[in-house]
Structures are given as structure tokens and as C-alpha cells.
Amino acid sequence: MSIQKPLREQVLTLSAAYSKKVGKSEARLGTIIRNHGSFFRNMRRGGDCTTRNAESTVQWFSNNWPDDLPWPKDIVRPAPDPVSDDRK
């Protein structure tokens, strides 16, 4: 049985990997994904968010994940939404 990271850690792991791969700061990603530039910074400093916001953020990453970047093994990936209009 595989142990999954807590949801907060999942969001931060995805943010760091995606940010590094695409060359966008986490502040920019926070603005794109949550319309809140300090979203990830606040979480890294111990802040929190609602489960709904965390789950929709993970979904955004799944919808926009680069094909050449392996999805982290300790995070369950939701199926990408084929009709997503997310901004990269």
C-alpha cells in the first residue's frame, strides 16, 4: 500500500515541479490558478486553504501538466478534464 502525501503537501509539490519545468514563478502560477499571487507562498509559510481550493488546484495541474514531466508518484493524479479552458 502506498502512502499519499497530505493534500497541502501535494499542492506544494506540484507547484514547485511545474514552476521549475515551465519557468514561471509560483507567484505567477498563483495568479493564473487561484487569482491570488501569494497563494503558494502563504501555504509554504504555514497557511492553509479550503479542500475545494486545494482539489481544484491539483485538477488544474493535472489538466496542464507537461507531457515530458513525470507526475509525482506519491500523488494520485485526477483524470485531466478534456474540456478545460485553463490558462497556461
Side-chain angles (χ1 to χ4, degrees):
M1 180 168 78
S2 174
I3 303 278
Q4 188 170 326
K5 288 182 175 187
L7 190 53
R8 184 174 170 280
E9 288 181 39
Q10 292 178 46
V11 168
L12 294 174
T13 296
L14 294 171
S15 174
Y18 186 92
S19 176
K20 182 177 180 181
K21 177 66 178 176
V22 302
K24 291 185 179 171
S25 69
E26 286 188 322
R28 179 67 186 134
L29 290 180
T31 299
I32 293 169
I33 300 169
R34 303 272 13 123
N35 198 27
H36 191 282
S38 59
F39 179 78
F40 297 110
R41 183 188 70 210
N42 290 346
M43 289 186 75
R44 287 198 187 284
R45 292 180 175 174
D48 211 347
C49 69
T50 66
T51 302
R52 180 176 294 164
N53 282 345
E55 288 174 345
S56 69
T57 300
V58 172
Q59 184 65 58
W60 187 95
F61 283 120
S62 183
N63 294 348
N64 294 281
W65 202 253
D67 292 334
D68 61 343
L69 179 63
W71 185 265
K73 293 181 189 227
D74 53 353
I75 299 175
V76 174
R77 183 176 185 176
D81 182 356
V83 294
S84 172
D85 65 351
D86 295 331
R87 298 167 286 154
K88 289 188 178 184

